[in-house]
């Protein structure tokens, strides 16, 4: 046992590892989660993991028993009905809810349970919908039902007030509610007569645990709102009437389910895959019997009616609460599976799970708060209740962002990308919780609107806008998480993001020391043309330049999915197996694939090959493209095993355009006409830089950080030009260069992605974390991992068009001398 773990156990040993359970944490991981070898999974707030023992029990159950549709009277159906009744009781027991007072309605998930409440709640023009800022989007969606019925909606901030005296304090005196401006659509009116209040129903929704920050909300809110809402809201005119309370326990139920005997909420929603991983697509609404009788359900379906007449407006609904709200056939096999999930949880006990996961969360928060850069600057900003961040009241979820030594922010996408390369799975963004995100990140309404106008939407690649992070990094622990998981995560952060006094250890881009540069012996080693974007290219000894100021026909074609998505190896790795070649003399593009018997021939003459013409946008450029017939599209569909169509960039004056926000997107070369490239006309890689990288990969194997030896060739980086004879990474400093008589301008380093980790040379496409992980350790600048440089051809006026004689076009030739200008700025 290491010193760090001994120190951890000294502080958390009573809570960590299930010492009083049949298996301790190390035994659980070794026997029930063997698939986590070399993987650190830290997204349990998104979805926890099922155990192998759990799945074995489910498989044995389903292969030993016959379960029929419960909407029948057969023996197998009756057995299923008995099983469903037992499962409902298990769910109620989990939340300490009496079957006399509560019913369990199974749904397709927590979101479906919330939707059910929203659409069936007895809204009126005098109703109020109140919710905390830290609610998930699935709760905010209820607002649409309230506002559409003329009700008023408003958010509140919840603050726990500290009392320093020793006098007993009430639940109300310890919690402060601050109301945000009300929202209304249909002119909801404020009623004045108290006698009407008894017929008005209001709804208050809050999470038991914030899925953004991990902050736990006091369940005293249930009684406060139900019994003394007027006082809690300071006499607000919106607080009259009867208040009902909804707890979103989808996140909190995994470690601390609400005790409904003590805190009698009207509605509680839970999600089973958040508790024990499997099944997905199943949740539950635990509803107070009195509240269920007030819900007004419009739709009926099979299973929810006792009798109907098809051609007459007659329906008699089933009287049971569960049956009247569960539309269609219940997912009874999934319901059968939750018994085995609860068995796992009950063997450990939910109290022990809470203590175990909280100990890991508390340890990580303390470690993060202690991190400092070499200049003493704070590394980490943790989000949540500042008074509780170091305590165990924040639970097993930690949300944070990282800062550089100069106080600027690391992008959370950078953290996620590098974590993935290190075998650590976490989550970034706002986690579908816009209120908590804006609150903790300090984003004003103006900031949010500005970000949206800049193009920011959920799941995009933006992470820093106007100098502010627009999301966060989130890690979360589950019942099977270990100290080793936490330690590896902290070590990853320290090694990757914490600067030390020596610049060489900072993990940033290595540049050569300033010295006179000798260009002796540098020459063009190879030229590669990639006709179809993301497919394999072909090598040539010489090749003409085209009107796109790149290599003629380079990335002139793309594959597009039926949904309009441009396909690359990131989405379709099989594209790297499609080989290409061009015979300029015959005017034919040849395409081959191991999945297709026929060798495809595509005529380069537009009049002989093009079909329908259309316009499209890609990488902030507008293109005029031509489509191909079904025979060619079917060939590519078979080659990559997914539907797609082939498009060709039509020779025209297509140019980069600036979008409404003033951004030019990813395109770095905004002055040239371009084919279907991401950033520039050419990518140049140095043979010596590749060799130096391979030396590092060999060293990593010797050090034990790489299990298998790996050797990369220059073609792994998909360069157009490979040079030889320069010092490793000398190209980083080149401002421009001459190849023969042609001048090129450097646009800077090429930001690499996971595509360079795909290796098609061994047969089936192999995925790994290398060489990107090694590059990230020494070639990273502000979230980008650079290797090779992008070039723009400067002699555009000398390039002839496609109808002119190719012999007159400038050509690049293997063996030409390369003359760089250094001092890149």
């Amino acid at each position: 046992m290491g010193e760090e773990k001994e120190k951890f156990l000294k502080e958390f040993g009573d809570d960590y590892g299930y010492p009083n359970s049949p298996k301790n944490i190390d035994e659980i991981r070794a026997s029930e989660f063997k698939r986590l070898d070399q993987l650190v999974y830290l997204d349990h707030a998104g979805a926890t993991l099922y155990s192998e023992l759990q799945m074995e029990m489910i498989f044995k159950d389903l292969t030993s028993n016959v379960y029929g549709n419960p909407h029948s009277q057969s023996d197998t159906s009756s057995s299923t009905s008995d099983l469903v009744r037992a499962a409902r009781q298990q769910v109620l027991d989990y939340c300490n809810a009496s079957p006399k007072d509560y019913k369990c309605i199974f749904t397709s998930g927590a979101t479906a349970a919330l939707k059910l409440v929203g659409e069936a709640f007895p809204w009126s023009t005098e109703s109020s919908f109140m919710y905390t800022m830290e609610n998930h989007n699935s709760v905010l969606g209820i607002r649409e039902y309230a506002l559409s019925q003329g009700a008023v909606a408003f958010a509140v901030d919840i603050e726990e007030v500290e009392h320093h005296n020793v006098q007993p304090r009430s639940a109300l005196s310890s919690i402060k509610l601050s109301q945000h401006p009300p929202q209304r659509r249909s002119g909801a009116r404020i009623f004045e007569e108290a006698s009407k209040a008894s017929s008005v129903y209001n709804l208050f929704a809050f999470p038991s645990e914030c899925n953004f920050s991990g902050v736990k909300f006091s369940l005293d809110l249930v009684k406060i709102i139900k019994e003394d809402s007027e006082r809690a809201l300071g006499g607000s005119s919106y607080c009259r009437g009867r208040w009902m309370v909804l707890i979103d326990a989808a996140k909190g139920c995994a470690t601390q389910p609400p005790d409904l005997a003590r805190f009698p909420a009207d509605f509680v929603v839970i999600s089973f895959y958040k508790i024990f991983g499997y099944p997905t697509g199943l949740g539950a609404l635990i509803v107070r019997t009195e509240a269920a009788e007030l819900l007004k359900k419009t739709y009926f379906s099979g299973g929810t009616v006792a009798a109907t007449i098809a051609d007459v407006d007659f329906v008699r609904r089933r009287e049971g609460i569960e049956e009247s709200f569960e539309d269609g056939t219940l997912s009874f096999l999934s319901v059968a599976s939750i018994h085995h999930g609860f068995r796992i949880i009950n063997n450990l006990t939910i109290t022990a799970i809470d203590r175990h996961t909280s100990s890991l969360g508390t340890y990580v928060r303390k470690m993060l708060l202690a991190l400092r850069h070499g200049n003493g600057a704070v590394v980490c900003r943790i989000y949540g209740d500042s008074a509780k961040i170091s305590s165990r009241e924040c639970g097993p979820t930690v949300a944070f962002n990282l800062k550089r030594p100069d106080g600027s922010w690391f992008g959370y996408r950078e953290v996620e990308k590098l974590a993935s390369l290190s075998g650590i799975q976490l989550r970034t963004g706002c986690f579908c919780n816009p209120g908590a995100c804006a609150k903790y990140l300090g984003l004003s309404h103006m900031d949010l609107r500005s970000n949206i106008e800049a193009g920011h939407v959920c799941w995009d690649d933006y992470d820093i806008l106007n100098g502010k992070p627009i999301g966060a990094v989130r890690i979360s622990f589950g019942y099977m998480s270990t100290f080793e998981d936490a330690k590896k995560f902290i070590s990853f952060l320290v090694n990757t993001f914490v600067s030390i006094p020596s610049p060489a250890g900072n993990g940033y881009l290595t540049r050569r020391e300033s010295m006179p540069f000798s260009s002796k012996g540098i020459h063009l080693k190879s030229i590669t043309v990639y006709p179809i974007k993301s497919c394999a290219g072909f090598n040539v000894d010489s090749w003409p330049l085209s009107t796109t100021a790149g290599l003629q026909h380079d990335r002139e074609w793309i594959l597009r999915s039926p949904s309009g998505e441009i396909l690359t190896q990131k989405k379709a790795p099989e594209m790297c197996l499609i080989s290409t070649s061009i015979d300029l003399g015959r005017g034919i593009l040849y395409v081959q694939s191991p999945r297709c018997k026929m060798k495809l021939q595509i005529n380069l003459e537009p009049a002989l090959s093009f079909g329908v013409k259309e316009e499209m946008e890609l990488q902030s450029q507008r293109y005029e493209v031509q489509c191909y017939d079904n025979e060619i599209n079917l060939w590519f569909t078979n080659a990559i095993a997914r539907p797609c169509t082939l498009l060709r960039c039509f020779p025209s004056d297509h140019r980069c355009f600036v979008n409404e926000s003033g951004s030019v997107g990813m395109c770095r070369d905004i002055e040239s006409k371009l084919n279907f490239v991401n950033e520039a006309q050419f990518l140049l890689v140095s043979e010596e830089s590749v060799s130096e990288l391979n030396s590092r990969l060999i060293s990593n194997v010797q050090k034990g950080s790489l299990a298998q030896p790996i050797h990369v060739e220059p073609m792994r980086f998909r360069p157009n030009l490979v040079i030889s004879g320069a010092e490793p990474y000398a190209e980083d400093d080149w401002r421009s260069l001459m190849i023969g008589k042609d001048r090129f301008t450097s646009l800077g380093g090429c930001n690499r992605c996971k595509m360079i980790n795909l290796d098609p040379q061994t047969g089936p496409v192999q995925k790994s974390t290398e060489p990107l992980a090694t590059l990230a350790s020494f070639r990273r600048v502000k979230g980008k991992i650079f290797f090779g440089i992008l070039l723009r051809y400067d002699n555009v006026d000398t390039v002839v068009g496609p109808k002119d004689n190719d012999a007159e076009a400038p050509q690049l030739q293997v063996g030409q001398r390369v003359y760089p200008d250094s001092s890149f700025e």
Side-chain angles (χ1 to χ4, degrees):
M1 183 184 299
E3 182 179 341
E4 291 182 56
K5 187 167 185 178
E6 286 185 6
K7 185 177 179 181
F8 168 81
L9 292 176
K10 186 175 181 180
E11 182 176 358
F12 299 102
D14 291 340
D15 298 329
Y16 173 80
Y18 312 110
N20 299 318
S21 297
K23 291 183 180 179
N24 64 36
I25 185 60
D26 294 330
E27 293 170 324
I28 291 171
R29 280 293 288 265
S31 63
E32 298 181 27
F33 294 90
K34 294 185 287 291
R35 65 189 187 279
L36 288 181
D37 184 40
Q38 305 301 319
L39 181 69
V40 177
Y41 184 84
L42 298 176
D43 187 26
H44 296 274
T48 200
L49 302 174
Y50 53 81
S51 81
E52 292 157 28
L53 174 61
Q54 175 188 349
M55 299 308 294
E56 289 171 5
M57 291 189 295
I58 292 171
F59 181 76
K60 183 177 180 180
D61 184 352
L62 298 184
T63 55
S64 302
N65 298 293
V66 179
Y67 296 116
N69 190 317
H71 296 162
S72 180
Q73 299 298 316
S74 67
D75 290 342
T76 55
S77 297
S78 297
S79 296
T80 303
S81 296
D82 292 340
L83 180 146
V84 170
R85 278 192 292 271
R88 295 191 203 279
Q89 186 59 51
Q90 257 187 318
V91 175
L92 294 179
D93 290 343
Y94 191 65
C95 293
N96 196 23
S98 167
K100 295 180 180 179
D101 301 322
Y102 287 94
K103 304 300 178 186
C104 170
I105 300 170
F106 286 116
T107 63
S108 64
T111 295
L114 292 164
K115 183 173 182 286
L116 190 159
V117 174
E119 64 188 8
F121 193 81
W123 304 109
S124 71
T125 56
E126 296 170 334
S127 296
S128 297
F129 175 49
M130 179 171 66
Y131 54 92
T132 62
M133 282 292 288
E134 290 92 337
N135 269 304
H136 192 277
N137 268 331
S138 296
V139 175
L140 296 188
I142 294 176
R143 183 177 62 189
E144 295 298 300
Y145 291 108
L147 294 177
S148 66
Q149 296 297 317
V152 66
F154 56 91
V156 293
D157 284 309
I158 307 293
E159 179 184 355
E160 291 195 30
V161 181
E162 292 188 15
H163 292 263
H164 300 288
N165 57 46
V166 295
Q167 297 296 323
R169 55 177 182 162
S170 67
L172 178 58
S173 67
S174 65
I175 294 177
K176 178 182 178 182
L177 278 70
S178 301
Q179 182 178 327
H180 287 248
Q183 312 150 55
R184 53 161 74 105
R185 285 184 188 159
S186 305
R189 66 182 186 275
I190 302 172
F191 55 94
E192 298 179 355
E193 297 181 29
S195 60
K196 295 182 180 179
S198 60
S199 62
V200 174
Y201 296 97
N202 308 306
L203 181 64
F204 171 57
F206 73 98
S208 59
E209 181 182 322
C210 174
N211 78 306
F212 182 97
S213 65
V215 169
K216 295 181 180 180
F217 284 80
S218 171
L219 297 185
D220 285 330
L221 283 166
V222 175
K223 293 183 178 180
I224 290 172
I225 298 302
K226 290 175 72 70
E227 298 173 5
D228 205 353
S229 61
E230 188 167 354
R231 183 180 170 194
L233 288 170
S236 169
S237 56
Y238 300 112
C239 67
R240 300 176 190 173
R242 179 180 173 184
W243 279 91
M244 308 181 81
V245 177
L246 181 155
I247 300 176
D248 176 10
K251 170 61 182 75
C253 250
T255 55
Q256 206 170 58
D259 184 343
L260 295 181
R262 292 181 59 203
F263 307 102
D266 298 283
F267 310 100
V268 176
V269 300
I270 65 176
S271 183
F272 296 108
Y273 76 95
K274 298 289 182 75
I275 302 173
F276 36 70
Y278 183 90
T280 57
L282 184 69
L285 171 65
I286 302 174
V287 56
R288 195 170 177 82
T289 306
E290 296 175 9
E293 293 171 353
L294 297 172
L295 298 181
K296 301 174 181 178
K297 189 169 183 289
T298 303
Y299 178 76
F300 68 85
S301 66
T304 63
V305 292
T308 57
I309 300 177
D311 58 348
V312 177
D313 182 11
F314 174 83
V315 58
R316 179 171 297 167
R317 298 173 186 267
R318 298 183 70 176
E319 295 182 358
I321 292 174
E322 300 95 331
E323 292 85 356
S324 62
F325 284 99
E326 291 173 346
D327 290 315
T329 300
L330 197 64
S331 182
F332 55 89
L333 295 182
S334 293
V335 172
S337 299
I338 69 173
H339 164 73
H340 305 288
F342 276 123
R343 181 176 173 182
I344 297 287
I345 299 302
N346 292 337
N347 281 341
L348 295 174
T349 75
I350 193 64
T351 301
I353 290 173
D354 183 37
R355 288 158 63 96
H356 172 79
T357 55
S358 292
S359 70
L360 292 171
T362 304
Y363 166 75
V364 166
R365 282 189 289 271
K366 287 185 175 181
M367 296 296 290
L368 292 179
L369 291 172
L371 292 179
R372 294 291 185 274
H373 288 295
N375 64 357
V378 171
V379 174
C380 186
R381 167 77 181 277
I382 300 178
Y383 302 112
D385 188 335
S386 57
K388 297 180 179 179
I389 282 177
S390 297
S391 73
R392 306 190 190 190
E393 294 183 59
C394 283
T397 299
V398 187
F400 62 92
N401 273 310
L402 301 175
K403 284 190 169 186
R404 296 187 175 89
D406 63 2
S408 62
W409 298 96
F410 286 105
Y412 54 79
R413 296 293 186 201
E414 176 181 358
V415 180
E416 182 177 36
K417 178 180 180 180
L418 297 174
S420 180
L421 291 173
S422 298
I424 298 172
Q425 307 301 308
L426 45 76
R427 191 167 174 187
T428 62
C430 280
F431 325 119
C432 299
N433 196 325
C437 191
K439 176 179 179 177
Y440 291 119
L441 297 176
L443 298 174
S444 66
H445 288 167
M446 185 176 295
D447 291 328
L448 297 174
R449 289 184 178 275
S450 174
N451 293 344
I452 293 171
E453 290 173 1
H456 172 52
V457 294
C458 293
W459 300 311
D460 63 21
D461 288 327
Y462 290 102
D463 52 16
I464 305 290
L465 286 175
N466 301 316
K468 291 182 178 181
I470 56 177
V473 181
R474 185 188 72 185
I475 66 165
S476 46
F477 296 100
Y479 76 82
M480 74 299 296
S481 298
T482 65
F483 167 77
E484 286 71 23
D485 291 334
K487 182 176 178 295
K488 287 179 182 177
F489 173 70
I490 294 296
S491 296
F492 156 72
L493 291 186
V494 171
N495 294 332
T496 311
F497 296 100
V498 179
S499 68
I500 57 177
S502 170
N506 198 20
Y508 286 90
L509 178 64
T510 301
R511 291 192 181 273
R512 300 178 307 112
E513 295 182 3
S514 178
M515 63 179 67
F517 182 77
S518 171
S519 60
K520 182 180 179 180
I522 304 177
H523 64 278
L524 186 58
K525 180 71 177 291
S526 70
I527 302 170
T528 307
V529 184
Y530 303 90
I532 305 174
K533 183 180 178 70
S534 225
C535 293
F538 62 98
N539 293 333
V540 294
D541 292 330
S542 64
W543 200 257
L545 298 169
S546 74
T547 52
T548 58
L551 295 172
Q552 189 170 354
H553 301 303
D554 186 60
R555 285 160 292 187
E556 199 166 299
W557 289 264
I558 54 172
L559 294 179
R560 184 173 68 180
S561 73
S563 65
E565 179 184 23
I566 304 305
L567 296 177
T568 68
Q569 290 183 30
K570 295 178 187 177
K571 295 286 186 180
E574 300 81 6
M575 291 180 70
C576 69
L577 301 177
I578 297 177
S579 62
T580 58
S581 63
I582 290 178
D583 186 328
L584 289 176
R586 298 182 62 188
I588 294 177
L589 164 65
Y590 296 98
V591 190
Q592 290 181 284
S593 167
R595 294 182 172 182
C596 301
K597 294 181 179 180
M598 182 184 70
K599 183 177 182 179
L600 194 62
Q601 298 185 29
I602 299 176
N603 201 299
L604 299 181
E605 178 60 41
L608 299 177
S609 61
F610 282 156
V612 179
K613 185 186 298 184
E614 64 179 67
E615 285 193 356
M616 64 172 291
E617 295 176 6
L618 175 65
Q619 303 293 1
S620 297
Q621 292 192 80
R622 182 177 291 114
Y623 295 91
E624 189 175 33
V625 297
Q626 293 286 348
C627 309
Y628 286 86
D629 58 32
N630 289 335
E631 183 179 354
I632 289 178
N633 293 331
L634 181 60
W635 189 95
F636 283 99
T637 294
N638 292 331
I640 66 172
R642 68 175 67 196
C644 65
T645 55
L646 181 69
L647 301 176
R648 183 182 184 183
C649 179
F650 190 69
S652 64
D653 290 331
H654 56 277
R655 278 190 175 273
C656 180
F657 71 96
V658 178
N659 58 33
E660 293 180 1
S661 67
S663 167
V664 293
M666 288 182 63
C667 181
R668 210 178 303 182
D669 184 356
I670 63 174
E671 298 180 8
S672 307
K673 303 173 186 178
L674 300 173
N675 279 350
F676 295 122
V677 297
N678 287 349
E679 296 187 273
Q681 301 158 352
F682 297 90
L683 169 62
L684 178 147
V685 164
S686 161
E687 196 173 51
E688 285 71 27
S689 298
V690 175
S691 178
E692 197 278 342
L693 171 61
N694 279 315
S695 297
R696 289 177 181 265
L697 292 169
I698 293 172
S699 176
N700 288 343
V701 173
Q702 294 170 345
K703 294 175 182 177
S705 55
L706 260 181
Q708 297 286 337
I710 179 173
H711 181 85
V712 296
E713 299 293 337
M715 288 302 104
R716 179 76 76 92
F717 301 95
R718 296 180 61 82
N720 297 110
L721 311 174
V722 177
I723 61 167
S724 182
E727 293 292 324
Y729 310 113
E731 64 273 17
D732 293 342
D733 297 325
W734 295 350
R735 182 177 57 193
S736 61
L737 64 149
M738 296 284 292
I739 303 179
K741 297 180 180 180
D742 297 305
R743 176 171 289 278
F744 299 81
T745 295
S746 173
L747 302 176
C750 178
N751 181 27
R752 311 314 308 214
C753 66
K754 291 183 179 180
M755 220 169 95
I756 66 173
N757 290 338
L758 299 176
D759 182 11
Q761 303 302 319
T762 55
V765 180
Q766 301 293 317
K767 296 182 180 180
S768 71
T769 61
E770 295 293 352
L772 193 58
T774 294
L775 283 174
S777 68
F778 74 108
R779 301 283 300 168
R780 179 168 56 91
V781 176
K782 293 188 175 180
K784 297 181 178 181
I785 303 168
F786 291 114
F787 192 83
I789 59 173
L790 301 168
L791 300 178
R792 181 182 67 232
Y793 180 52
D794 291 340
N795 300 48
V796 178
D797 296 337
T798 66
V799 179
V800 298
K803 294 182 180 179
D804 296 314
N805 188 346
D806 289 335
E808 299 177 6
Q811 296 208 8
L812 291 180
Q813 211 163 18
V814 170
Q816 285 180 310
R817 289 288 300 274
V818 177
Y819 303 94
D821 292 336
S822 56
S823 303
F824 181 86
E825 296 180 6

